[in-house]
Amino acid sequence: MPLILGTNSIKDTGFDVANSCRFNDGSSGHLTRTQTAGNRRTWTWSAWVKFSNIATGEHDQKLFLAHSNTHPSTQIITNSMRLGIYTYDGSSTNFNVTCNRFLRDSSAWFHLVIAVDTTQSTDSNRVKIYINGVQETSFLTSSSYPSQNFETEVNDNTEIAQISGGGTPSNPFDGYMAEVCLIDGTALDPTSFGEFDEDTGIWKPIDVSGLTFGTNGFYLDFENSGSLGNDKSGNGNNFTVNNLTSIDQSTDTCTNNFATMNSLLLSVASLNFTQGNLTNNGNSSNTWRTMYSTIGASAGKWYFEVRINKTQTSDPNNFIIGIQDAEQMFQASNTAEIQSTSRGYGYRGNGGNKANNTTGQGSSYGDSYGSIGDIIGCAVDLDNHKIYFRKNGTYQNSGDPTSGATGTGSAFDLTTGITYMFGISSYYDDDRHSFNFGSPPYSESGGNSDGNGYGNFAGSVPSGYYALNTKNLAEYG
């Protein structure tokens, strides 16, 4: 099960990507522009992509397409989470090249490159697919290459270029995109967009602003929250924004990967994650379900928040926020509460009690919570093995997260030498909540960041505590 620890992180990435765009399957958020005449035979598409809600999202997801209404169309898609490209004229498929490799890691950013040059005499040279700097060589047996000099709908002045599905055609992409580029007239390899880090061997982005983009080429960096379709290539090939707002601009990027909730765990298979795996829209039935983060830590000091969006009217407090030993997380029942094991620790909405190694109410601790709009902050000190909770800005039990080994008001003395995951348990189908690991999926006016300048939280981040992202993890985890 994918998760991120310190060894998967790079502190200094060289070229830093500031923003991504968060697309939500079902909200029809997408970007469109009418193309002008360009090179329909030779072009390159490149993007950094982080997939969300994979457990329920193994249908086709459209990343980039050029189309007239629905057909004919050239589409870059995931086919049951396999990357591919195909064209369809309304009655038949002209070509279809799809990798065998699955892209099922919702904790990771992938760099995807598709280079097309149908003028090549060798059919396998007409479409090349690269993932994280490496060319894919294993494809579905049903794959077929375009005929020589085949003209795609990309760079056709009668077609619409579209980032993500949504609207028409259907089956939108669900997740994050960053550094989205189209090169008109040249088939490039990945070294034009990225490089391997010399210390870690991890594939990372480089500055693409100096590339020759061609007539229809574009470069979307998503740094203007008021104009997410702004083209930075210099061509002025700006996209129209459809059903996306400034909230969909994210600081979760390929150079600083933030925690989200892990949609691959069996315990959450029946949950409906949205907004980049940061919002839960209810269980499929009234039973305990526990959601865990994609990032875990065994050292350092970490801060996150949970906002309550909706509750069961007759019993509004069935939430438990806390942390869980990563090993015991795999051993626990699908319907186990987060604090039900010996190394699971939680703060209950019902009664405001704290609980560990129990499915009962636990002992007295603080105020109950569960009203719509309640924001619960959690400060986890894995250096001194303490944990603190705050409700709407007030630390419970007069807690002081900066008290170090003294642990003033700490809810628990944590087990040492453990890698912990961060999460929540909820019970009712009507329970709704959102996680904020630093890049909130909702409008947050708090504006509070950690000491490294990362995050936007409702409450002030305690001194020495940090948002759960890979840059912080590489430094402090």
Side-chain angles (χ1 to χ4, degrees), residues 241-422:
V241 178
N242 302 274
N243 299 317
L244 295 168
T245 69
S246 59
I247 296 174
D248 296 306
Q249 183 195 56
S250 175
T251 54
D252 187 341
T253 75
C254 46
T255 58
N256 197 13
N257 190 1
F258 278 73
T260 64
M261 303 312 291
N262 196 327
S263 61
L264 293 180
L265 287 171
L266 291 176
S267 61
V268 298
S270 61
L271 296 174
N272 178 21
F273 282 116
T274 60
Q275 300 300 327
N277 278 2
L278 291 173
T279 294
N280 169 43
N281 285 322
N283 303 340
S284 61
S285 60
N286 292 341
T287 186
W288 283 107
R289 298 290 185 188
T290 301
M291 292 138 270
Y292 294 105
S293 58
T294 53
I295 287 183
S298 58
K301 300 176 181 179
W302 310 100
Y303 181 78
F304 67 93
E305 294 177 342
V306 179
R307 189 183 76 168
I308 306 302
N309 299 328
K310 185 181 179 182
T311 64
Q312 175 81 5
T313 303
S314 61
D315 189 7
N317 307 117
N318 274 273
F319 299 93
I320 308 168
I321 295 170
I323 62 175
Q324 171 69 276
D325 170 19
E327 181 180 352
Q328 289 188 340
M329 174 185 73
F330 289 113
Q331 299 170 355
S333 164
N334 289 350
T335 57
E337 299 153 62
I338 195 170
Q339 86 303 336
S340 63
T341 66
S342 61
R343 297 188 294 274
Y345 305 89
Y347 170 34
R348 302 184 68 100
N350 189 352
N353 295 339
K354 61 179 181 178
N356 161 245
N357 199 21
T358 177
T359 56
Q361 292 300 309
S363 57
S364 178
Y365 170 65
D367 297 331
S368 62
Y369 65 88
S371 298
I372 296 173
D374 278 352
I375 292 181
I376 306 303
C378 182
V380 184
D381 182 349
L382 297 179
D383 295 333
N384 296 291
H385 318 297
K386 309 293 183 182
I387 185 170
Y388 308 83
F389 296 95
R390 76 197 311 177
K391 175 188 174 183
N392 298 332
T394 301
Y395 281 100
Q396 304 301 287
N397 196 32
S398 301
D400 180 6
T402 64
S403 59
T406 302
T408 303
S410 171
F412 298 100
D413 292 326
L414 305 177
T415 305
T416 62
I418 300 299
T419 296
Y420 287 100
M421 311 306 290
F422 308 79

Side-chain angles (χ1 to χ4, degrees), residues 47-81:
W48 288 82
V49 175
K50 181 178 177 179
F51 295 94
S52 298
N53 209 8
I54 291 173
T56 59
E58 292 202 359
H59 54 270
D60 294 352
Q61 294 191 41
K62 295 178 172 61
L63 304 175
F64 174 68
L65 53 155
H67 66 96
S68 177
N69 291 324
T70 56
H71 305 296
S73 64
T74 298
Q75 303 187 15
I76 296 173
I77 66 166
T78 57
N79 178 354
S80 297
M81 300 314 300

Side-chain angles (χ1 to χ4, degrees), residues 169-190:
S170 58
N171 298 333
F173 165 69
D174 191 350
Y176 305 77
M177 286 193 195
E179 297 290 287
V180 181
C181 298
L182 179 71
I183 308 299
D184 178 357
T186 312
L188 299 176
D189 66 35

Side-chain angles (χ1 to χ4, degrees), residues 94-95 118-120 126 145-151:
N94 302 114
F95 74 87
T118 67
T119 68
Q120 295 292 316
R126 295 171 198 157
Y145 288 97
S147 59
Q148 190 172 18
N149 295 318
F150 180 86
E151 294 196 330

